[in-house]
Amino acid sequence: MNSRFLRDHGWAARACAAAWALCAGATRGDAELLEGRVEPPDPASASAPAQSPDAPADPRTWSVQFEPQMWFPALRGDIEMPGGSLFDVETLDLDEPELSPAGELSIRGGDWIFQFNGFAFDVEAASRADDAFAAGGGAGAVAVGDRVEYELDYGAFEFNMGKHVWSVPLKDADDVAVDFDLYAGARAYALDLRLETGSGVSSHDAQWADALVGMRMRLDLPHGFGLETAVDVGGGAFGVDGSFSWDITVAFTWVYENTAGIEIGFRHLSVDTVEGEGAEEFEFDNALAGLFGAVVIRF
């Protein structure tokens, strides 16, 4: 073989040498596989897609989520004490925001979810009346500028049971989905209001419950982020002569690897209840609304 041939066709020789080396390597690999020194690849593992660490937990399994919260709501609306007249809560500065404890416990299994939540709104202060009104009871009439001491204890506890009814994965986004739940339950209230003036004291307490129905929507986002909103309406007046309520919550959540995280949101709870008739009628037509923050714990 002359030098000119090698110069003109050396690339072919080098290609043949490379092919031979590749075949020899493959042959050695096959031999090692037959001798059992190399484990064959697992077809199942080869075909199974990699599981993203941010993928949501299987909704068919049981899970528990606990959220201790701090709510910062303000009271808005009207109150009428027995024997008194209707007055706006702003008249006594009862509309000032108050940091209030709250919480929520959710238990999810399969398509079902059981939820418990509650709050306690307590305020005690004194104010000069901005408008004249009748406080009722022994407190009598209140003139503009009169000093009124007030104490309000207001809380509620709710239980509801829901069913997952619809899930919509967003196109071209495996870890983004919208879920819808429908739920029904009951919310029990307790209220104790005391007004004290220079003339005396007027007080009233009431306990009642509403049946409620609602809808919850969740938007699951990558990296543990999520957005949730819940809306419900209630009524039934168990314990009083009439009651109607509606509640809306919007919250943004971040949870680290489905274990713990934080939640920031806004809640508006509106309640209108009436007890008694005529001069002895008590009316509480108010809304609590404000921002809240929570620690999210999942297990």
Side-chain angles (χ1 to χ4, degrees):
M1 188 178 296
N2 57 39
S3 58
R4 181 179 178 182
F5 180 86
L6 291 175
R7 285 196 305 270
D8 294 342
H9 302 283
W11 61 270
R14 289 191 295 271
C16 290
W20 174 258
L22 182 62
C23 291
T27 303
R28 286 195 300 271
D30 292 340
E32 291 174 349
L33 181 61
L34 291 174
E35 293 172 5
R37 286 182 288 169
V38 178
E39 292 292 333
D42 184 2
S45 62
S47 59
Q51 180 70 27
S52 169
D54 299 319
D58 187 346
R60 293 170 296 180
T61 61
W62 284 91
S63 63
V64 177
Q65 178 169 302
F66 176 54
E67 298 180 31
Q69 303 173 351
M70 290 304 294
W71 190 19
F72 194 53
L75 192 67
R76 296 286 190 276
D78 302 314
I79 299 174
E80 181 180 357
M81 298 292 282
S85 62
L86 196 69
F87 67 92
D88 193 309
V89 296
E90 293 184 9
T91 300
L92 299 178
D93 292 333
L94 264 167
D95 59 332
E96 295 296 323
E98 190 74 20
L99 195 61
S100 306
E104 182 176 281
L105 174 66
S106 302
I107 304 172
R108 182 180 292 271
D111 289 334
W112 294 95
I113 181 170
F114 306 90
Q115 193 172 85
F116 307 83
N117 66 68
F119 70 88
F121 178 82
D122 301 325
V123 58
E124 181 178 359
S127 176
R128 298 285 180 179
D130 293 335
D131 291 310
F133 69 97
V142 177
V144 176
D146 283 355
R147 176 183 170 85
V148 180
E149 296 181 7
Y150 55 83
E151 182 178 353
L152 172 64
D153 298 326
Y154 176 38
F157 176 80
E158 175 186 332
F159 166 74
N160 67 68
M161 180 175 67
K163 178 76 164 56
H164 179 69
V165 295
W166 193 27
S167 182
V168 184
L170 299 188
K171 186 178 180 181
D172 300 327
D174 295 336
D175 49 359
V176 178
V178 180
D179 295 302
F180 293 90
D181 301 338
L182 296 179
Y183 62 89
R187 185 183 296 119
Y189 303 86
L191 182 147
D192 189 354
L193 176 60
R194 181 178 184 273
L195 304 177
E196 182 175 353
T197 67
S199 302
V201 176
S202 175
S203 64
H204 187 79
D205 63 88
Q207 297 81 37
W208 71 98
D210 287 343
L212 60 89
V213 293
M215 182 194 75
R216 185 183 300 109
M217 183 190 75
R218 297 186 313 279
L219 173 62
D220 295 322
L221 299 170
H223 309 298
F225 292 99
L227 184 66
E228 181 173 323
T229 182
V231 180
D232 62 60
V233 294
F238 300 101
V240 291
D241 295 307
S243 179
F244 176 78
S245 65
W246 63 273
D247 187 15
I248 180 169
T249 302
V250 179
F252 178 78
T253 306
W254 174 77
V255 178
Y256 177 71
E257 293 188 353
N258 208 36
T259 55
I262 58 174
E263 183 176 65
I264 299 174
F266 178 85
R267 183 182 185 185
H268 179 110
L269 172 62
S270 180
V271 177
D272 184 5
T273 186
V274 176
E275 183 180 31
E277 296 180 355
E280 296 304 314
E281 180 178 279
F282 169 76
E283 182 175 358
F284 184 80
D285 182 7
N286 277 273
L288 274 179
L291 296 172
F292 68 86
V295 176
V296 179
I297 303 171
R298 291 179 180 173
F299 49 91

